[in-house]
Amino acid sequence: MYNPKSLKAEEFIDHQEILDTLAYADENKENVELIDQILNKARERKGLSHREASVLLACEIPEKVQELYKLAEQIKKDFYGNRIVIFAPLYLSNYCVNGCLYCPYHMKNKHIPRKKLTQEEVEKEVIALQDMGHKRLAIETGEDPVNCPIEYVLDCIHTIYSIKHKNGAIRRVNVNIAATTVENYRKLKEAGIGTYILFQETYHKESYEHLHPTGPKSNYCYHTEAMDRAMEGGIDDVGLGVLFGLELYRYEFAGLLMHAEHLEAVHGVGPHTISVPRVKHADDIDPDEFDNGIDDETFLKICACIRVAVPYTGMIMSTRENQKVRERALHLGISQVSGGSRTSVGGYTEEERPHDTEQFDVSDNRTLDEVVKWLMELGYIPSFCTACYREGRTGDRFMSLCKAGQIQNCCHPNALMTLKEYLMDYAAPETKAVGEALIQAELENIPKEKVREICKDHLEKIEQGIRDFRF
Ligand code: SAM
């Protein structure tokens, strides 16, 4: 029986409720009166239920889809301004005991070299990332309790935070590791992580079991209930996602929103982020073997529907997507992108992009500097800000500030100050010129005069070599 407050996976992601939602969406996809009502509700910026959002996703009336896109863009502007947060993934280990059919790290893959970074290698990777200008990482591992236990992950987090190379620093480490115990989540929290990210892959239990035939990840309920354990362990910023292409996208979309509703109902705070990965070609993985691949148009519509359904949730798009798709997605709600990514263990210290241990092919191969310049030329402010979590503005504290529109008062100057650091320390001359002009223009958009003056003062101090200011 569907119950968003239940702690049982099959009750908060109730299969029948999803089927009923899809039927309701089909029945109403041409019901203009209802669609208008839903769009009007979305305009109030308080979000939509999974049923309402599913109607928008099913609707194919061109004018209504355009209205949806316009609204998604406007909501994004209202909540996030023109800032885009920048991060990079860091692959620590590709040892894995699972049998995931879509992932090249699966245990049966005997021809990819298995690697796990030593702490010295972690240090080298982090220095390489700092030298690019990164401040925020998402660490990634396969699941292997013997080769990659939680103690190893904790050691790596400690190493990452401790490295101060030139003016570089990693100020926020997000973690994307397999579902684990409350006790381990508590340890991650104590190690000072930002967001705990775990992709559901698919909400469809039968498909999930088929796609994860062996290993600990094959337990659907344990995986689906992971965010509740993470929250119990004290982590209040969690990141959801499904791997689009594995199951029917409309099923996944409803499941994703039901998961968000569940977190809100039980813990009083929704997901901090939602990621939108699509299955990609990888070592022994051919994405065409999965029947549910989606075209770019459908994919972008999903992004827009997520944006209007959960306006307070950050949306992440990785380099799985190419520049063109990323550019359009920025208009429809994406608020975080990765740049200069390498998806292999030890990839950042290699001159050439190594392919042998890559988790998936990267479609956006540009350097971080190229991504930063591209964003600025599109009118966005690339932000390396990590202030909220360092100031304790996480979970419901972040959400309530965000809901009150207050977050804008500090995010904008923080973005400008961290961009200034990037320009001073890492940017190519042309990028620097574009960035300096952008900062001057954007200073005028800080609403409070006092904040503007402090920000100007900090920018001067950054020019003189001082770092790490924040509101
Ligand atoms: N091993 C951890 C787990 O099981 O959740 C998480 C880390 S895994 C390195 C990160 C994510 O990459 C997976 O959750 C999956 O969604 C995604 N991934 C795996 N294979 C992929 C592929 N072929 N194309 C695109 N993304 C893929």
Side-chain angles (χ1 to χ4, degrees), residues 25-275:
D26 270 333
E27 278 161 32
N28 287 293
K29 66 182 182 187
E30 282 165 14
N31 181 344
V32 176
E33 198 183 326
L34 179 69
I35 290 163
D36 281 340
Q37 268 173 31
I38 297 173
L39 283 168
N40 279 335
K41 183 171 172 199
R43 281 189 188 96
E44 289 169 24
R45 287 145 175 72
K46 291 192 180 120
L48 295 176
S49 71
H50 60 277
R51 284 212 176 200
E52 293 161 338
S54 292
V55 174
L56 292 188
L57 185 60
C59 166
E60 286 173 358
I61 305 167
E63 308 85 76
K64 295 296 150 196
V65 176
Q66 286 316 311
E67 259 184 68
L68 164 71
Y69 286 4
K70 257 179 86 178
L71 181 59
E73 182 161 19
Q74 193 55 50
I75 288 181
K76 185 191 158 196
K77 277 193 188 139
D78 294 350
F79 283 92
Y80 293 90
N82 54 349
R83 297 177 302 280
I84 301 291
V85 169
I86 305 277
F87 77 100
L90 171 60
Y91 282 74
L92 300 176
S93 163
N94 64 1
Y95 284 91
C96 196
V97 295
N98 287 312
C100 314
L101 299 189
Y102 49 82
C103 178
Y105 291 172
H106 66 88
M107 198 184 183
K108 284 196 185 145
N109 189 347
K110 296 289 178 212
H111 62 88
I112 61 162
R114 298 291 167 170
K115 278 202 204 166
K116 168 186 166 181
L117 300 178
T118 62
Q119 295 311 307
E120 289 73 39
E121 287 167 334
V122 171
E123 187 172 339
K124 283 190 185 138
E125 290 278 293
V126 169
I127 287 175
L129 283 155
Q130 288 186 3
D131 279 344
M132 288 159 76
H134 279 294
K135 297 282 186 276
R136 174 190 290 246
L137 301 183
I139 56 173
E140 312 273 339
T141 71
E143 179 167 15
D144 187 329
V146 175
N147 289 300
C148 185
I150 192 74
E151 288 70 27
Y152 168 73
V153 177
L154 297 170
D155 282 350
C156 291
I157 295 170
H158 181 73
T159 301
I160 295 168
Y161 278 133
S162 69
I163 295 163
K164 302 277 176 291
H165 168 71
K166 297 185 183 161
N167 278 336
I170 298 302
R171 299 174 181 154
R172 177 173 179 134
V173 178
N174 296 333
V175 174
N176 182 8
I177 63 166
T180 185
T181 59
V182 174
E183 198 190 328
N184 286 348
Y185 286 125
R186 195 161 287 130
K187 289 180 186 166
L188 288 170
K189 172 74 185 173
E190 282 161 11
I193 70 159
T195 313
Y196 172 65
I197 300 164
L198 181 70
F199 299 158
Q200 177 63 28
E201 321 300 5
T202 174
Y203 283 98
H204 192 290
K205 185 165 184 267
E206 219 178 289
S207 296
Y208 184 97
E209 287 169 351
H210 165 72
L211 290 159
H212 304 94
T214 55
K217 194 166 170 176
S218 59
N219 186 336
Y220 173 85
C221 292
Y222 188 75
H223 187 83
T224 312
E225 292 159 8
M227 294 313 192
D228 297 294
R229 291 195 300 282
M231 294 231 173
E232 201 185 325
I235 297 175
D236 47 9
D237 282 351
V238 299
L240 304 180
V242 291
L243 189 52
F244 285 103
L246 301 178
E247 242 303 330
L248 292 171
Y249 71 89
R250 289 176 53 203
Y251 191 101
E252 304 294 25
F253 177 78
L256 190 60
L257 291 187
M258 283 162 75
H259 201 170
E261 286 162 20
H262 161 72
L263 295 177
E264 181 93 45
V266 175
H267 308 281
V269 51
H272 188 67
T273 55
I274 289 182
S275 301

